[in-house]
Structures are given as C-alpha cells and as structure tokens.
C-alpha cells in the first residue's frame, strides 16, 4: 500500500514512522526527520496518487482538504470540513455538547467585552478564556484572578494577539482533576478508543506558565483504567457519533477527546479532529499491528480490527526553542540526535527542523519530540531524559517533570 502523510510536524513524523512498518510512505511536505524514513515531496496532496491519505493537522481539515481529496475519489483518513468544526469552532463544539448532554464546563460565548465580563463575575472559582477559532493550543488562558481574566478578554476581543480567531471567545468555569487524552478512531458509524495518554500542556515544570501545544506525554495512564475508557466510550464518544450521523456528518478520522477527570466524573474539555501532538508519539509507538490497514478500514467506513497495544510504556519529552510559546527562533544548529538515538528504545521525532548550509537547524517553536519506550513508565522516562541530555541547540527548553510525580511513578 502507498500511504500519503499530509503534514510536516512531529505527529506527521510518528505517523510516517509507524505507517512505514507496513506500507510505502510518501509525505507532503514532510520534514528532515521523515525524509530519513520515507519519501518527502513538495507536491500538493491533490496531485499525488496513493492508496490512503492521512492528514496530520487540524488546519487543513477545517479548511476542507479531506473533502477535496474525497471528491477526487481518494481514500482519506480525516474528517471533512463539516465534522472538523468540532475543533474549528469551540462555540459549535459547545453547542454540540449541549444538544446531547455531554458533560462539560459551564460556559458562555461572547463577542462583546462588557457581556463577557458580566458572565465572568458569575463564575465561582477559576476562569478560563478561549478563542473561538484555531490558535495552535495557545488560545486558552486559565487563571484564578478576575482582573487577569478581564484583561485577557479585552486583549482577545481586540484581535491584537490572536487576530480573527479571537474575535469571538468562550468563557468557562475552571474544572479540576487529572487531564486525559483519549484518541479514538471513527469510521462514520463505529468508534474505537485507542490506549489513553496524558499530555503536559503548560510550558513550565509543575504545570506553570502559559499553555502550549503540549510539552510532553506518556502512555499508558495508570489513573485511566478500562472502567474510565468504557465510561468515556459509552457516555461521550458513542453519543457523539450518533449525533454526527443524525446531522448527516460522515466522520472518518480521529475523534480526540480531551477530558478532565473531575470529582463529578469525566468531563469534556474539548474535541480535536486529528491525532494529539505529542500524544500520537506515545500512543502510536505502542500500536501493535498494521496501522495503515487499520486507518484504511476507518477511511472505508468498515472498521473491523480491534487495535492492540504493546505492554511497554512510552514517554515523549518535547524540546522547544527559546521564546516558545510566545515566539520562536529559527536557524539554531541542532546537535546530538544520532547520539540520543543510541539510547535503547529512543526515537527522536522532528517537529520543526530544517536543513541550512548542511546543518540541521530549528524551524519553529516545538522542535523535537524525544520519545522512549521501556518496560515501565519509569524506565521510558529515564531513557527519554538520558537522550534529551545528548541533544543541544541554543535556547533549548524542556520540562524536567514529564511522566514524573503525576503518574505516581517514583524515579
Ligand atoms: P483546550 O484548547 O480547550 O484543550 O484547552 C487547553 C488546556 O487548557 C486544556 O488542556 C486544559 O489544561 C486547560 N483548560 C481548558 N478548559 C479548561 C477548563 N474549563 N478548566 C480547566 N482547565 C481548562
Ligand atoms: N497535545 C494537545 C493537542 O494535540 O492538541
């Protein structure tokens, strides 16, 4: 089978890495890491022939790329623009949750600052302010201070920081509890959860500082046993697919449930319409089977295979550039990837790298995803950090507590 991966981020790299075990992979545009395991081309996906197209990121899905490829008769794993609204508009997603009673935070949607501030005053504890549109995981501000919340409302609605994505906002009450990512694969009518993962969203150790696209992840997740996955499947994922069908939306792709395990039970933070990044790095490295065939079944609307995962654990530590998440510094020379990959179980996925004058350099905010497997979370974590210590570039930042205390695993 010839599989075409559309994308060039770290998640595209892990997709290519696992798909290449059982299929011939072409990536567009790909990246320097993908180029070492597959063919990378600059050609748009509409002009490539392939047996299966896997779209890595949300923006092209929201923009209707899956629809355009399907209109050409191509077999595509990824929802059309109608289903991608689950991620493309938080307001649409919240309305969808309300329509079918999916548990989520109390919220309101606003484009007027005064009304938004009045609503903030009615919330009991912490405040969450989100852009309606896509903001690469960075459009969410969580605070316990009403003054900071008000300032963020004014900033987002003014369009200064997030442009049009922030001209409408969602305000939510703060939920508390461990976060969990359940990535599920949907074939239009059937939805199958993959092994759970946990992501570390804030830039700093101990969950401090601003939200990012994700600074690390691990899988499996000790707090998320089969009972929780089953509960999420029957109370959230399956009702979602029934409602999508009722609305005439034939959803074939990833339904990524971002959850919080609150004292009142699992509640939805959000849906994403693609694999999580860096959750895909820890979930897919543990996939045990033919990923290309599995995703092709979903793309065909005939998902029959039960996904299996290895008994190993996986940990990813993201290496970000100076200034991330506010900014990024391109062009810093990266060293040590080959040495890092000498550590047993380690693969270094490229998230934003480029070649410049014969040197591998940084090319964005999240640069590398150092991923290790091991027989336990503790072993995978030690390996990941041993590998991280071998890599360097100017301004490199990473969290030192990925898969640490929160997992209940001691070092
Ligand atoms: P989102 O982009 O909606 O996934 O939000 C990004 C991150 O912000 C989430 O993963 C949470 O860490 C945090 N967050 C979002 N909404 C809430 C909420 N209502 N309560 C607490 N934290 C939240
Ligand atoms: N890691 C969070 C995301 O992929 O949105």
């Amino acid at each position: 089978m010839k599989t075409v991966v559309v994308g060039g981020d770290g998640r595209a790299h892990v997709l290519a890495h696992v798909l290449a075990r059982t299929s011939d992979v072409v990536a567009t545009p790909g990246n320097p890491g993908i180029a070492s395991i597959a063919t990378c081309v600059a050609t748009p996906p509409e002009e490539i022939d392939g047996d299966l197209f896997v779209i890595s990121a949300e923006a092209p899905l929201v923009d209707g790329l899956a629809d355009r490829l399907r209109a050409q008769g191509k077999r595509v794993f990824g929802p059309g623009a109608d289903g991608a609204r689950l991620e493309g508009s938080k307001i649409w997603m919240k309305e969808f949750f309300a329509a079918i009673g999916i548990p989520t935070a109390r919220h309101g949607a606003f484009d007027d600052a005064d009304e938004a501030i009045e609503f903030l005053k009615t919330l009991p504890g912490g405040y969450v302010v989100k852009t309606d549109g896509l903001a690469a995981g960075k459009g969410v501000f969580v605070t316990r201070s009403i003054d900071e919340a008000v300032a963020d409302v004014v900033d987002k609605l003014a369009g200064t920081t997030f442009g049009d994505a922030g001209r409408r906002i969602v305000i939510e009450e703060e939920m508390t509890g461990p976060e969990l990512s359940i990535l599920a694969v949907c074939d239009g009518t059937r939805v199958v959860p993959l092994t759970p993962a946990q992501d570390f969203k804030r830039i700093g150790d101990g969950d401090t500082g601003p939200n990012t696209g994700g600074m690390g992840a691990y899988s499996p997740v000790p707090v998320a046993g089969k009972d929780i996955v089953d509960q999420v499947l029957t109370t959230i994922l399956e009702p979602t697919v029934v409602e999508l069908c009722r609305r005439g939306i034939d959803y074939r792709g990833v339904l990524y449930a971002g959850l919080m395990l609150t004292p009142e039970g699992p509640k939805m933070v959000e849906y994403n319409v693609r694999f999580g990044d860096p959750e895909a790095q820890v979930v897919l490295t543990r996939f045990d089977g033919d990923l290309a065939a599995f995703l092709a079944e979903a793309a065909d609307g005939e998902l029959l295979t039960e996904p299996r995962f290895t008994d190993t654990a996986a940990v990813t530590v993201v290496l970000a550039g100076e200034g991330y998440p506010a900014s990024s510094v391109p062009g810093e020379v990266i060293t040590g990837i080959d040495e890092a990959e000498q550590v047993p179980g380690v693969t270094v996925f490229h998230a934003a790298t480029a070649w410049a004058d014969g040197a591998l350099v940084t090319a964005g905010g999240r640069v590398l995803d150092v991923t290790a497997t091991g027989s336990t979370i503790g072993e995978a974590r030690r390996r990941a950090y041993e590998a991280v210590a071998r890599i360097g570039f100017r301004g490199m930042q990473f969290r030192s507590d990925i898969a640490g205390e929160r997992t209940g695993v001691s070092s």
Side-chain angles (χ1 to χ4, degrees), residues 195-279:
T195 186
Q198 200 174 50
D199 178 21
F200 290 69
K201 291 253 163 61
R202 304 283 189 120
I203 187 76
D205 282 359
D207 294 332
T208 53
N211 266 311
T212 70
M215 292 301 291
Y218 68 95
S219 174
V221 183
V223 294
K226 187 174 177 323
D227 52 337
I228 295 210
V229 177
D230 286 347
Q231 189 182 356
V232 170
L233 178 64
T234 54
T235 62
I236 296 177
L237 291 166
E238 287 178 344
T240 296
V241 178
V242 169
E243 176 67 7
L244 286 167
C245 288
R246 196 191 64 76
R247 295 182 184 210
I249 298 173
D250 185 6
Y251 193 105
R252 301 181 189 195
V254 176
L255 263 179
Y256 157 166
L259 296 149
M260 208 160 264
L261 305 179
T262 74
E264 301 96 58
K267 288 192 184 176
M268 281 295 280
V269 179
E270 62 166 359
Y271 265 127
N272 292 313
V273 300
R274 33 70 190 179
F275 287 103
D277 192 349
E279 290 94 325

Side-chain angles (χ1 to χ4, degrees), residues 349-364:
F349 297 112
H350 291 226
T353 64
W355 289 109
D357 300 329
L360 188 73
V361 298
T362 63

Side-chain angles (χ1 to χ4, degrees), residues 139-187:
V140 178
F141 182 61
V142 184
T143 179
R144 298 239 132 201
S145 147
I146 187 142
D147 293 339
E148 283 181 12
V150 167
D152 193 61
V153 163
V154 171
D155 177 66
K156 283 195 170 113
L157 287 175
T160 26
T161 314
F162 292 101
D164 286 342
R167 297 227 185 252
R168 292 201 78 198
I169 56 172
V170 173
I171 294 178
E172 297 180 7
E173 66 180 353
E174 186 186 19
M175 298 186 285
T176 53
E179 271 189 68
L180 187 68
S181 302
I182 297 191
L183 281 53
V185 168
C186 185
D187 74 352

